[in-house]
Amino acid sequence: MDEGSSQPGCRSPSHEQQLGSREYKPPEQEAAGPTAKKTVKEEAEVTFHSRSIIAFGQFCNRVFDNVLSGAPMGKSLELIREQFGASAVVLTAENRDKPNDGNSYIAMARSGAGSEVMGGTGFIVMTGSTRSREVSELLENRHCTSATDFGVEGNTCYKLTIARPLAHAPFDQEEKSVCEILVAHLARGLEMASRMGATEIERTLYSDVVDRLCVGIIILDRAGKVVRTSSTADDILTEGSSLRVKGGRLYARCSNEDRALQSAIKMALQDGGNAGASDVRGLSLTKQSGSKNLGLIVRPITAGSHRGLSAQSAAVVYLRDSEAVPAIEGDLVRQLFDLTPAEAAVARRLTVGLSLDEAANSLEISRNTARAHLRSIFSKSGITRQTELVRLVLNSVVLLGERPRQAV
């Protein structure tokens, strides 16, 4: 016996001989290798020697990366099936406390339908019950090994089952251990992918709401460079406004205003870890068109207070064009305030800044008709002044029904 065989993780010569001294090879290398006839035992076994631990790690990473990337689960299971020379691989996931509630998930990869031949094309099946007849048939009269993992939070039971025909060798202890490692990878990959997906959905919803409110967002890193912009901010920056991005940095076009902007950004970056009310700075930038100014707020991003942002995100600039006109959707105004279509049309126009005469002309109705609609709106809403109507509508959720548009 050589010196290395007594160390942990190394195999004795007798074990090497028992496993056929077969190193791990990825499936594609197996297919390209010699075509010499192998014994049934060699064909079915998967072994990972200590000298091929790197290859084993690469195999596990491929399985995990497929799950994390959102690829169909069948792709990961097919990798496992091919490596084990199995006829089927089944992954079930169900509520740990309610295993038979009918909301279980099953994914399968198997060899060619009705065939015991190794190397058939795998596929995925989704079902709502772990008592699926197809799963039972796949595992019936076969050598099986399985392993269970409860994930990070412990709420879900993940079970990985690998099956091969009785004509092949039973699963040995090493293969059972590999099965335990793989089910843990699959469980953690599924949970991580789920969390990442939920975070992305949440970020998209927040971004959409801010865009509907006509607010642009520019996120800066610790060096003051732009790392992310919202779609509303992009619109403002591409319209030849008083702001621009050059060399990855944010500048104001007017030199005096740019000095104030750079000072505000510098203060925000310095105080990013301990932000307070005094760290928030407001600026008003002159628009090239000479119309109303562009409003900005620069503030630090407090460490740990904003989920989903990179650790390099250090400051945020909020933008709002005072000439941006929110899009008020007529049907929502009617539904929220119990108005008739004609009343909702008047309310919409008054909310975006038109006078009663302008609203009447826009709708091609008389001023008296518009006034009658306004009185009815007041009666239904419990208000008495036009300014109250504007505040009532703009403070409601109606703005979230449509994406805002810029004034022409």
Side-chain angles (χ1 to χ4, degrees), residues 105-346:
Y105 163 89
I106 298 178
M108 293 184 287
R110 65 181 183 181
S111 57
S115 173
E116 298 292 344
V117 178
M118 304 294 178
T121 302
F123 61 95
I124 185 170
V125 175
M126 301 284 292
T127 183
S129 172
T130 55
R131 295 192 176 98
S132 166
R133 181 190 307 175
E134 188 172 9
V135 173
S136 300
E137 292 176 352
L138 280 175
L139 304 181
E140 187 177 8
N141 297 323
R142 283 168 171 79
H143 294 301
C144 293
T145 184
S146 62
T148 301
D149 191 274
F150 295 103
V152 175
E153 298 181 357
N155 298 325
T156 304
C157 177
Y158 300 90
K159 184 177 181 180
L160 179 66
T161 303
I162 306 173
R164 64 166 61 121
L166 294 177
H168 295 265
F171 293 94
D172 60 23
Q173 187 57 48
E174 179 178 328
E175 292 172 313
K176 295 177 182 179
S177 297
V178 172
C179 184
E180 293 176 357
I181 294 171
L182 291 174
V183 71
H185 275 354
L186 293 172
R188 283 152 182 76
L190 283 170
E191 291 186 351
M192 188 176 295
S194 177
R195 288 195 295 271
M196 290 171 62
T199 299
E200 180 61 23
I201 291 173
E202 187 176 313
R203 189 194 70 79
T204 301
L205 290 174
Y206 290 158
S207 178
D208 183 59
V209 167
V210 173
D211 283 338
R212 291 172 188 270
L213 295 176
C214 306
V215 177
I217 298 178
I218 301 175
I219 298 175
L220 309 177
D221 65 14
R222 298 182 187 279
K225 290 193 172 184
V226 176
V227 294
R228 185 184 298 175
T229 58
S230 68
S231 59
T232 298
D234 289 336
D235 292 341
I236 293 174
L237 291 170
T238 57
E239 288 175 353
S241 70
S242 48
L243 275 179
R244 61 174 178 163
V245 176
K246 183 178 180 180
R249 295 183 181 276
L250 188 64
Y251 295 96
R253 295 185 183 273
C254 174
S255 58
N256 290 335
E257 293 174 347
D258 185 59
R259 282 194 291 270
L261 174 61
Q262 300 308 320
S263 175
I265 292 175
K266 182 178 179 180
M267 292 296 296
L269 295 176
Q270 289 176 347
D271 300 332
N274 186 25
S278 60
D279 298 316
V280 179
R281 296 195 172 194
L283 298 169
S284 180
L285 305 184
T286 304
K287 296 175 66 176
Q288 286 187 313
S289 62
S291 56
K292 296 180 181 179
N293 290 352
L294 178 69
L296 273 73
I297 288 180
V298 183
R299 67 182 305 167
I301 294 177
T302 308
S305 64
H306 292 74
R307 292 182 300 164
L309 293 179
S310 166
Q312 295 300 315
S313 302
V316 60
V317 179
Y318 296 108
L319 316 171
R320 197 177 194 285
D321 188 343
S322 57
E323 292 186 298
V325 178
I328 309 298
E329 207 278 313
D331 282 342
L332 286 180
V333 173
R334 179 180 58 79
Q335 295 165 13
L336 288 170
F337 301 104
D338 193 25
L339 306 179
T340 67
E343 293 166 353
V346 171

Side-chain angles (χ1 to χ4, degrees), residues 373-393:
H373 289 322
L374 184 59
R375 285 197 298 267
S376 179
I377 294 170
F378 286 170
S379 175
K380 292 179 179 180
S381 305
I383 57 179
T384 57
R385 292 183 296 178
Q386 190 171 317
T387 54
E388 290 182 289
L389 172 63
V390 173
R391 183 169 63 249
L392 178 67
V393 175

